[in-house]
Amino acid sequence: MKKEIENELHRIVHKAVNSPLTSEDFELLCREMNVVKMYYDLEFDSEGYRGLGEGEEDTSKYRIFELYSEDTESDIKKKYTFYFDANEYVHAWIEFKKGITEEDIDEDICGFLADVVYLLVSRQNMRAMLDFSETHDSQTGIMNLKSLGAKYMQSIARYPEVEYVVLYANVKNFKFINDRGGVHLGDLAIAKIAQKLQEYMREDEGVCRVGGDNFAMFVRRDNLDVMLNRLKIVQVDGLMGLRNNSHRFSFRVGVSDTDIREFGTKLEEASTACVVAKTILKKDLVVFNMELSEIISHNNQIVAAFPDALAAGEFVPYFQPKVNMRTGVLLGLEALCRWQHNDSIIAPAEFIPLLDRKGMIHDLDMTILIETCRCIHEWQEMGLKVPVVSVNFSKKNIFIPDIEKKIITAIRDNDISTSMLEIEITETAKESEIGRLIDFVRILKENGFKISIDDFGTGYSSLSLIHNINADEVKIDQSFVRKLGRDDKSLILIESIVSIANRLNMRIIAEGVENTEEGRMLMELGCGNAQGYYYGKPVDFEDMTKILMNPEFEALE
Ligand code: C2E
Ligand code: MG
Ligand code: MG
């Protein structure tokens, strides 16, 4: 690519990370490329592919984003198509100076430019969504949690004599709607449920969507029974594709009716009650009480037992292969923590989120790192060919003083090369974390480590993070793989992630591949690497040793 063009692209990408782009930003770039006009059209609510022909621009149906325009006539117009969302289509249009011929145009550069600009535009759309979501849930239009907390404070200040209870409600069997009518119907149903709940509220009460199919609300104590009755059946109409185009939803509800006035505590009690209702008691209604505190006390026991268990070597890495599906070649391993406690193996879901919340995850992550280094060393001593091994690092670690030094020392002590290790980190949307994360990654990379972005696609910051962080690998979260074949959005998202990763020279790998069907679909979408039960569940050191002695996997056609 021409140096000038490359420089300009860099500048624009850099700027776009922090602020919206204007047409002036594109001016120099367009000049270099003999472009006189560059714009995007975005079509809403279309059924399938629109196939816009030349000269057929009915702007009433689309929204045009003009990125650059020099009021000059042009001869050649090029179109690049992107799938922006399940049924919104984006076309990038690039028009060239009069007199420019097809031979003068470098298709690759134009395609690349269209790609990059598409990413920037979708990122700015995302930012607009985030602004709205400061106070509202963008999908349903009702309040978000922050606003609900603020309204609660207003209400107790205005009506000090009134007692309020907090409810945490989860829609029962919501999966049915997604399975029956796709994510689209699910989105519509959630929005309609939210509106219904909103209608039930009195003027000093409030409801918000917490995320997914979860809602939080506060109501007057003397209104609680009425509300609980209503939540037994919420009828929603206008859901095409279901019997009678309607569905009766019901909720699983956790209630906090304690005398505490503080909203955060009440909400936590209500949500604990709801989780217990769903996972342990299998009941529709659970009011928070001291028994539930037992669950919390179980958590406390884990926290208390942790230091001794750690010292006793009860936390060990298991290993799961990462495989190139086309060739069957073993690309790497991921170390996943297991707690070997009293003859049973405890999975990370039971303790990692808890230890992370309690600020204790650093010691665990360092232990798994060190144990992993020992395993690598041992395998190498046995003369085995060991691929790069990744370890998971909680973001809390990046704020530990001298964390990079600690990691490097751990590797040196075990006499292995830093290039054997890959650190898996998850995305972040928090401004306060991004700067530190970038430094952390830079220092580790300078020291020869590889970096992988885990669970990609589940956070909001994806695009800015990927531009700022020079990662080696992007892991598509397994939730997308689970929805393959059932949900167009997942296909589109995977395609976009693949295209970004390819452009930025990052390896792309899908998590949670369980069968050949998923593997083949991923390969069709351009993702040729996988980690998942199909290739092997996480196994301990001994079992992985056997695999490394003969690391052959079947190539998928
Ligand atoms: P992760 O890093 O995204 O790891 C992938 C998880 O998906 C692992 O769960 C793995 O066993 C599971 N998995 C892999 N293939 C399949 C599949 O085909 N189907 C299904 N259903 N699951 C599959 P695991 O081992 O339970 O770990 C869960 C999470 O706990 C990890 O997600 C990671 O975020 C965290 N974790 C594990 N070990 C550590 C650690 O040492 N430190 C930190 N900070 N987090 C860790
Ligand atoms: Mg991971
Ligand atoms: Mg993951």
Side-chain angles (χ1 to χ4, degrees):
M1 195 190 305
K2 266 175 73 182
K3 198 78 204 144
E4 293 76 13
I5 296 177
E6 198 176 325
N7 288 344
E8 272 312 299
L9 264 176
H10 270 207
R11 188 184 56 79
I12 293 179
V13 171
H14 194 74
K15 188 185 163 199
V17 171
N18 300 309
S19 52
L21 294 170
T22 62
S23 64
E24 284 82 55
D25 292 313
F26 292 99
E27 194 175 331
L28 266 173
L29 183 63
C30 290
R31 293 244 166 91
E32 287 295 336
M33 294 175 60
N34 291 314
V35 167
V36 291
K37 231 182 201 178
M38 187 157 72
Y39 57 92
Y40 268 77
D41 65 2
L42 185 63
E43 185 189 12
F44 296 102
D45 298 326
S46 81
E47 311 259 26
Y49 178 63
R50 169 156 66 94
L52 187 79
E54 291 297 323
E56 186 202 316
E57 290 156 70
D58 171 9
T59 48
S60 62
K61 268 180 73 190
Y62 329 122
R63 200 193 278 177
I64 303 272
F65 298 92
E66 197 166 80
L67 303 166
Y68 176 70
S69 179
E70 197 184 83
D71 207 9
T72 327
E73 272 181 47
S74 53
D75 284 341
I76 307 180
K77 180 149 101 176
K78 299 250 170 217
K79 183 178 82 173
Y80 300 86
T81 302
F82 303 93
Y83 302 89
F84 181 68
D85 203 338
N87 59 353
E88 293 176 349
Y89 294 91
V90 183
H91 306 262
W93 298 85
I94 300 182
E95 296 183 25
F96 295 87
K97 263 189 196 148
K98 215 172 169 51
I100 290 288
T101 62
E102 290 279 353
E103 290 79 63
D104 300 324
I105 298 170
D106 184 329
E107 272 292 338
D108 282 347
I109 297 186
C110 292
F112 183 50
L113 176 66
D115 266 356
V116 170
V117 173
Y118 161 65
L119 287 178
L120 301 181
V121 171
S122 47
R123 179 173 148 65
Q124 283 179 7
N125 285 345
M126 195 143 58
R127 180 173 278 150
M129 256 159 57
L130 280 175
D131 286 347
F132 180 72
S133 67
E134 276 289 298
T135 52
H136 286 80
D137 170 53
S138 53
Q139 198 181 322
T140 59
I142 65 170
M143 277 188 281
N144 64 12
L145 193 54
K146 199 168 144 198
S147 306
L148 188 76
K151 182 159 187 197
Y152 177 87
M153 297 302 285
Q154 280 167 10
S155 292
I156 58 169
R158 238 171 95 200
Y159 306 106
E161 72 291 353
V162 175
E163 300 282 351
Y164 292 97
V165 291
V166 171
L167 284 72
Y168 194 100
N170 171 256
V171 184
K172 278 172 73 179
N173 201 16
F174 190 72
K175 205 173 151 289
F176 166 80
I177 303 293
N178 280 330
D179 289 348
R180 182 59 77 83
V183 179
H184 224 63
L185 191 71
D187 288 353
L188 181 67
I190 280 291
K192 286 186 176 247
I193 293 170
Q195 288 311 321
K196 278 259 159 127
L197 297 180
Q198 180 72 55
E199 284 164 23
Y200 297 157
M201 296 297 139
R202 294 181 190 167
E203 160 274 330
D204 60 325
E205 301 172 340
V207 56
C208 80
R209 176 163 176 242
V210 188
D213 54 357
N214 296 305
F215 295 88
M217 50 198 110
F218 68 91
V219 298
R220 292 175 171 234
R221 184 176 272 160
D222 59 17
N223 193 24
L224 176 63
D225 287 343
V226 175
M227 188 58 71
L228 290 175
N229 228 358
R230 285 182 149 158
L231 291 177
K232 282 183 186 156
I233 298 174
V234 174
Q235 167 136 359
V236 173
D237 300 320
L239 299 175
M240 300 299 196
L242 300 183
R243 196 145 58 94
N244 301 330
N245 293 337
S246 87
H247 190 73
R248 290 174 154 199
F249 291 94
S250 60
F251 290 81
R252 199 168 264 123
V253 188
V255 176
S256 162
D257 192 14
T258 49
D259 289 334
I260 297 164
R261 299 273 277 177
E262 202 252 319
F263 182 70
T265 312
K266 283 185 101 65
L267 183 71
E268 210 168 307
E269 289 180 349
S271 74
T272 306
C274 186
V275 169
V276 172
K278 186 172 180 171
T279 56
I280 301 171
L281 300 177
K282 315 272 184 223
K283 279 166 63 176
D284 287 351
L285 172 67
V286 171
V287 179
F288 182 86
N289 61 26
M290 282 311 145
E291 268 173 43
L292 299 196
S293 321
E294 277 177 22
I295 293 165
I296 297 160
S297 102
H298 171 72
N299 284 350
N300 289 344
Q301 278 169 16
I302 292 183
V303 171
F306 174 68
D308 286 347
L310 194 67
E314 292 182 12
F315 293 93
V316 296
Y318 270 41
F319 300 93
Q320 189 180 29
K322 297 181 178 181
V323 178
N324 179 327
M325 294 189 277
R326 286 181 218 286
T327 58
V329 167
L330 178 68
L331 296 172
L333 307 178
E334 176 173 11
L336 292 155
C337 174
R338 296 290 179 270
W339 185 356
Q340 295 177 328
H341 190 57
N342 299 340
D343 293 333
S344 61
I345 307 276
I346 309 176
E350 289 228 13
F351 55 89
I352 291 221
L354 179 66
L355 294 175
D356 207 8
R357 275 205 307 276
K358 299 279 175 192
M360 302 167 94
I361 196 79
H362 170 63
D363 291 339
L364 179 69
D365 283 348
M366 286 310 288
T367 301
I368 295 299
L369 174 80
I370 291 165
E371 287 306 315
T372 299
C373 291
R374 282 199 192 137
C375 294
I376 296 176
H377 184 76
E378 213 164 308
W379 284 324
Q380 288 179 337
E381 292 281 287
M382 291 178 196
L384 292 172
K385 193 162 165 260
V386 191
V388 174
V389 185
S390 63
V391 289
N392 292 280
F393 251 60
S394 157
K395 275 195 294 284
K396 295 267 167 66
N397 286 295
I398 62 179
F399 293 103
I400 301 281
D402 285 333
I403 179 67
E404 297 87 354
K405 261 195 207 152
K406 280 189 169 182
I407 296 176
I408 293 163
T409 310
I411 311 295
R412 297 233 169 97
D413 287 351
N414 283 285
D415 205 18
I416 59 170
S417 151
T418 52
S419 65
M420 290 303 299
L421 254 290
E422 181 167 56
I423 306 286
E424 289 194 10
I425 41 164
T426 50
E427 319 163 55
T428 182
K430 289 191 200 152
E431 284 298 325
S432 56
E433 283 179 349
I434 289 177
R436 185 71 262 278
L437 192 61
I438 292 172
D439 279 349
F440 173 77
V441 167
R442 184 181 47 77
I443 297 172
L444 287 185
K445 287 216 63 166
E446 281 167 7
N447 281 283
F449 289 87
K450 298 206 165 44
I451 299 291
S452 171
I453 303 180
D454 204 353
D455 306 339
F456 191 77
T458 54
Y460 274 111
S461 65
S462 320
L463 288 173
S464 65
L465 190 79
I466 209 166
H467 276 137
N468 280 317
I469 286 186
N470 190 8
D472 302 274
E473 179 184 85
V474 177
K475 301 184 85 176
I476 299 176
D477 188 65
Q478 57 169 288
S479 57
F480 296 113
V481 178
R482 281 295 82 74
K483 289 189 216 142
L484 271 179
R486 285 196 285 127
D487 167 19
D488 287 348
K489 265 190 185 163
S490 284
L491 295 185
I492 292 156
L493 253 152
I494 292 178
E495 263 182 343
S496 330
I497 299 173
V498 167
S499 112
I500 303 171
N502 283 342
R503 292 274 180 225
L504 299 174
N505 268 334
M506 295 173 178
R507 180 167 83 185
I508 184 109
I509 180 162
E511 300 183 299
V513 174
E514 295 187 350
N515 49 53
T516 49
E517 208 179 17
E518 288 170 348
R520 288 208 181 90
M521 284 175 91
L522 283 161
M523 290 205 298
E524 257 170 49
L525 294 171
C527 173
N529 307 315
Q531 177 182 345
Y533 292 171
Y534 176 66
Y535 291 103
K537 291 194 171 178
V539 291
D540 64 11
F541 174 79
E542 277 75 31
D543 285 345
M544 188 41 81
T545 307
K546 287 179 204 146
I547 295 177
L548 289 178
M549 285 172 171
N550 187 18
E552 290 207 356
F553 298 88
E554 206 178 311
L556 273 189
E557 302 281 291

